[in-house]
Amino acid sequence: MDTKLGLLLLAGLLGATPALAQGDTTSASTAATNIAIKVCNNTSYTTLIATDYLAVNYPDKNWWTNEGWYTVAPNDCKIVAHTGNTIFYLRAEEQGGTHYWAGEFGHCVVYPGPYNTQEDARSSECPSGSEPKEFFRVTTTFNSGVYTWTLTP
């Protein structure tokens, strides 16, 4: 389990305000030329997408771009980001509802958004005004092209 989420869950069990644990900065070393992150929404809900990725040609591998919320209409697809890394993180939520798609990796989001922040992978806490949420970790097997994440009900 990711350290950020582990501390997030432990803090919740102890009644503390969740904080993010230090991230693994070594994952940022997997260079890619340009991967487009595409989300296809195969549900009847309008969804909101959050991303955490290393920007294309970003010089400092410890700082990740954290963005949200991109709107993807039902039965539509949208490219939400481009990354220079084969590893990135995604989260989706039903707009105004209770459905969400998430994994085990804690990253910071801002409600209601939109937001665009830089997240230090070495940090143990979310910046002021943001809160930790779980994200899927994606590791691609290619260095350029389009990664498509398909949301299903």
Side-chain angles (χ1 to χ4, degrees):
M1 178 184 299
D2 178 60
T3 0
K4 288 183 179 182
L5 181 63
L7 285 182
L8 183 138
L9 292 174
L10 179 61
L13 290 173
L14 298 175
T17 302
L20 296 182
Q22 290 184 322
D24 176 13
T25 58
T26 60
S27 64
S29 65
T30 310
T33 54
N34 189 347
I35 297 173
I37 302 169
K38 179 179 179 180
V39 178
C40 289
N41 180 6
N42 289 352
T43 75
S44 59
Y45 322 119
T46 297
T47 56
L48 302 173
I49 310 300
T51 62
D52 198 4
Y53 62 94
L54 186 65
V56 176
N57 297 323
Y58 199 78
D60 187 340
K61 304 299 185 209
N62 290 314
W63 288 91
W64 288 58
T65 299
N66 192 341
E67 297 177 326
W69 295 95
Y70 297 101
T71 304
V72 182
N75 301 307
D76 195 11
C77 294
K78 181 185 281 188
I79 292 178
V80 297
H82 289 85
T83 181
N85 194 27
T86 59
I87 298 171
F88 47 90
Y89 300 86
L90 298 169
R91 177 181 177 84
E93 298 182 2
E94 174 190 4
Q95 185 175 30
T98 59
H99 295 90
Y100 63 93
W101 296 259
E104 299 179 339
F105 296 88
H107 291 277
C108 306
V109 300
V110 177
Y111 290 103
Y115 67 94
N116 181 329
T117 63
Q118 297 299 310
E119 182 177 307
D120 186 346
R122 302 161 295 191
S123 176
S124 62
E125 296 181 14
C126 283
S128 177
S130 64
E131 61 185 84
K133 290 289 183 179
E134 295 84 12
F135 281 62
F136 280 112
R137 178 180 172 154
V138 176
T139 304
T140 66
T141 57
F142 53 89
N143 291 328
S144 64
V146 178
Y147 172 83
T148 302
W149 183 30
T150 303
L151 303 176
T152 57

